[in-house]
């Protein structure tokens, strides 16, 4: 069986590595999705375990379609009756990119008609009540190559269930997980997010360090599919739960200038089951000090700014954290922002950059991990040791 996992642009490589880790074979990678082989029992496994996927689909078939007749015939030829029952619901949505078939409503109508005709021929009926299980059908046409899929996830996978209130400028959980994975969270390395907001980066990092499956506490559309039975879901959840490290020593600092948002972050961490791994406290990111006795990593998503007045404040903020973070030169630092000239404001050239998308907003992950003296000869910074008071956990 062919499966497809979709993701935000820029996460394809990491998503593919996650699929590999589950013992599944990748077939093809294109922008925003990875195709791979699996069995019915793997549908629960990938939905529960993939941190970077937005949705998981069953691929019913692929074919060339430059005309509506080709789209109809190709759709009709697929085994819809093997999944969709005579009472089941099957709404159709989709996308067409760089293809001759540009009208999405017309494509929807053609695909729906072809499925109805195929099921009518198989079941001997002409009217479908569509009151049963929902099988959401999606077509994806890229350069005249059509792919017909059934969504197994339902609610998008970035919605883990721990974050009903995400604050004013939410970072999608899948993107936060990607950034956290890039920073390689470890038990002996402190992770600090000084712009923590609702705590998403720190929570995802803690879940990664403790090997807590992101979908363990939520439900999925395919739990109602007749061909994917309850035993498969129970086995997948048991397998995922068996990997959790309950005695992990991982620790994250999550601080923010807004004390009210810390209450939201704490509730989110509590729902995610990682509150013991996260120290929450109120502090301006421009005043933080490096602990003398800790190795660490700063991972953060500072404000971006959308209006001209805001951008002036944001530019000043980036300059000021550039000065503050000099004291953390021995640490690795990861900053994601949509600002294209962040390095100039920050005062350092990144050792590595990665293009990402926060939803539809293009961003860059700036990565600093080389000491200044090895990066260039412009400036060498010698951090001054200062006393540090460990924050208390927010209750």
């Amino acid at each position: 069986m062919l499966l497809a996992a979709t993701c935000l642009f820029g996460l394809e490589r990491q998503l593919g590595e996650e699929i590999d880790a589950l013992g599944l074979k990748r077939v093809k990678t294109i922008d925003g999705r990875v195709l791979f082989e699996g069995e019915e029992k793997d549908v629960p496994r990938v939905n529960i375990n993939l941190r970077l996927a937005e949705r998981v689909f069953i691929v019913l078939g692929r074919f060339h379609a430059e005309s509506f007749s080709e789209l109809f015939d190709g759709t009709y030829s697929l085994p819809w009756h093997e999944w969709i029952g005579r009472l089941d619901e099957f709404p159709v949505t989709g996308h067409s990119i760089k293809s001759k078939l540009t009208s999405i409503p017309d494509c929807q109508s053609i695909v729906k008609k072809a499925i109805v005709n195929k099921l009518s021929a198989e079941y001997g009926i002409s009217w479908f009540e569509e009151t049963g299980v929902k099988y959401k059908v999606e077509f994806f046409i890229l350069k005249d190559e059509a792919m017909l899929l059934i969504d197994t996830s339902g609610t998008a996978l970035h919605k883990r269930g721990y974050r009903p209130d995400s604050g004013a400028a939410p970072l999608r959980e899948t993107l936060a997980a990607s950034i956290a994975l890039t920073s390689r969270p470890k038990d002996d390395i402190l992770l600090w997010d000084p712009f923590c907001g609702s705590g998403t980066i720190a929570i995802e990092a803690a879940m990664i360090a403790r090997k807590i499956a992101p979908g363990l506490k939520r439900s999925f559309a395919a739990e109602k599919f007749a061909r994917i039975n309850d035993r498969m879901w129970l086995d997948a959840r048991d397998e995922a739960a068996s990997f959790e490290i309950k005695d992990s020593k991982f620790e994250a600092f999550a601080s923010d200038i807004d004390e009210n948002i810390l209450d939201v972050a704490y509730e989110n961490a509590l729902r995610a089951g990682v509150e013991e791994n996260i120290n929450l406290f109120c502090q301006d990111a421009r005043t933080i000090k490096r602990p003398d006795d800790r190795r660490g990593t700063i991972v953060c998503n500072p404000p971006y700014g959308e209006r001209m007045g805001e951008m002036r404040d944001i530019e000043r903020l980036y300059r000021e954290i550039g000065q503050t973070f000099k004291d953390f030169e021995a640490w690795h630092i990861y900053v994601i922002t949509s600002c294209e000239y962040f390095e100039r404001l920050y005062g350092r050239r990144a050792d590595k950059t990665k293009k990402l998308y926060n939803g539809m907003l293009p961003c860059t992950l700036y990565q600093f991990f080389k000491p200044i003296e090895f990066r260039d000869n412009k400036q060498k910074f010698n951090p001054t040791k200062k006393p540090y008071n460990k924050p208390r956990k927010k209750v």
Side-chain angles (χ1 to χ4, degrees):
M1 183 167 66
L2 186 63
L3 301 172
T6 59
C7 64
L8 295 173
F9 292 131
L11 306 191
E12 296 87 354
R13 181 184 60 79
Q14 287 178 307
L15 175 57
E17 291 170 353
E18 284 195 293
I19 291 168
D20 294 343
L22 289 172
L24 303 173
K25 183 181 178 181
R26 278 186 271 175
V27 174
K28 186 177 182 180
T29 300
I30 56 179
D31 288 348
R33 65 187 60 208
V34 179
L35 304 182
F36 58 101
E37 294 177 352
E39 301 176 23
E40 290 169 1
K41 67 179 182 179
D42 294 314
V43 171
R45 294 181 67 229
V46 291
N47 273 290
I48 290 169
N49 288 286
L50 292 180
R51 299 184 190 280
L52 306 180
E54 293 296 322
R55 294 182 185 276
V56 175
F57 295 89
I58 296 165
V59 181
L60 260 288
R62 296 179 287 175
F63 52 87
H64 188 77
E66 294 186 24
S67 65
F68 288 130
S69 61
E70 288 179 324
L71 180 61
F72 180 92
D73 292 342
T75 303
Y76 184 89
S77 69
L78 303 178
W80 298 103
H81 59 286
E82 294 181 3
W83 292 93
I84 302 173
R86 61 180 63 219
L87 297 177
D88 294 336
E89 182 181 359
F90 48 101
V92 177
T93 60
H95 307 275
S96 181
I97 302 171
K98 298 178 181 179
S99 300
K100 292 182 175 63
L101 297 177
T102 57
S103 172
I104 300 303
D106 286 339
C107 289
Q108 284 178 285
S109 179
I110 292 296
V111 170
K112 182 75 173 186
K113 183 179 179 180
I115 297 173
V116 168
N117 286 12
K118 181 59 175 279
L119 294 179
S120 294
E122 293 293 335
Y123 294 133
I125 57 177
S126 58
W127 176 258
F128 292 88
E129 296 182 14
E130 297 199 50
T131 57
V133 174
K134 179 185 284 189
Y135 289 82
K136 185 179 176 182
V137 176
E138 182 171 311
F139 61 86
F140 179 67
I141 308 174
L142 175 64
K143 297 179 180 179
D144 300 321
E145 296 297 321
M147 186 184 304
L148 273 294
L149 315 101
I150 295 175
D151 179 14
T152 70
S153 301
T155 301
L157 296 179
H158 73 263
K159 296 183 178 180
R160 323 286 204 209
Y162 67 74
R163 197 177 75 165
D165 187 352
S166 55
L171 186 71
R172 191 173 291 192
E173 292 90 330
T174 43
L175 181 56
S178 171
I179 298 167
L181 282 166
T182 302
S183 73
R184 299 181 180 180
K186 298 178 181 178
D187 280 8
D188 60 342
I189 297 179
L190 173 67
L191 182 142
W192 192 343
D193 180 1
F195 295 94
C196 74
S198 57
T200 311
I201 290 176
I203 290 170
E204 291 292 330
M207 292 176 69
I208 291 167
R210 290 183 51 180
K211 297 187 178 180
I212 297 175
L216 203 53
K217 296 182 179 180
R218 55 157 286 175
S219 59
F220 307 91
E223 289 185 68
K224 296 181 180 179
F225 290 8
R227 285 182 56 173
I228 303 175
N229 59 50
D230 292 345
R231 183 74 259 167
M232 295 178 185
W233 288 98
L234 287 170
D235 289 346
R237 285 192 166 93
D238 287 345
E239 178 191 46
S242 70
F243 295 134
E244 181 180 347
I245 302 173
K246 298 184 182 297
D247 59 349
S248 171
K249 304 300 182 184
F250 175 79
E251 184 179 18
F253 284 179
S255 58
D256 200 280
I257 197 171
D258 180 3
E259 188 163 8
N260 292 326
I261 198 65
L262 296 177
D263 293 326
V264 174
Y266 178 74
E267 292 298 324
N268 290 343
L270 192 65
R271 279 186 287 268
V274 295
E275 75 282 0
E276 293 300 318
N277 300 95
I278 300 175
N279 280 318
L280 288 152
F281 57 99
C282 185
Q283 189 169 354
D284 189 327
R286 294 166 293 190
T287 67
I288 63 174
K289 303 297 180 183
R290 177 170 60 90
D292 289 340
D293 58 344
R294 302 292 297 271
R295 296 173 60 207
T297 301
I298 288 178
V299 186
C300 63
N301 173 42
Y304 301 166
E306 297 177 357
R307 295 181 289 273
M308 283 302 294
E310 288 180 345
M311 274 312 301
R312 284 192 290 270
D313 293 336
I314 295 302
E315 289 174 356
R316 182 164 53 252
L317 172 66
Y318 289 170
R319 290 189 183 97
E320 290 173 349
I321 65 171
Q323 292 299 312
T324 299
F325 289 3
K326 283 183 179 180
D327 189 40
F328 294 80
E329 194 230 325
W331 290 25
H332 291 187
I333 298 173
Y334 300 83
V335 183
I336 183 170
T337 176
S338 64
C339 180
E340 296 179 353
Y341 51 96
F342 170 77
E343 292 167 300
R344 176 161 54 85
L345 298 169
Y346 185 73
R348 284 175 58 181
R349 185 172 60 253
D351 299 305
K352 188 175 182 181
T353 60
K354 183 178 182 181
K355 296 296 181 182
L356 297 170
Y357 281 78
N358 187 6
M360 296 302 294
L361 181 65
C363 296
T364 301
L365 178 63
Y366 295 94
Q367 305 171 51
F368 305 89
F369 43 78
K370 294 179 182 178
I372 289 177
E373 59 266 31
F374 294 114
R375 187 175 56 255
D376 54 47
N377 296 319
K378 293 181 180 178
Q379 180 181 3
K380 181 176 179 180
F381 181 75
N382 295 314
T384 303
K385 292 186 177 181
K386 297 181 180 180
Y388 181 80
N389 295 319
K390 185 175 181 180
R392 292 176 298 174
K393 187 169 294 181
K394 178 91 175 168
V395 179

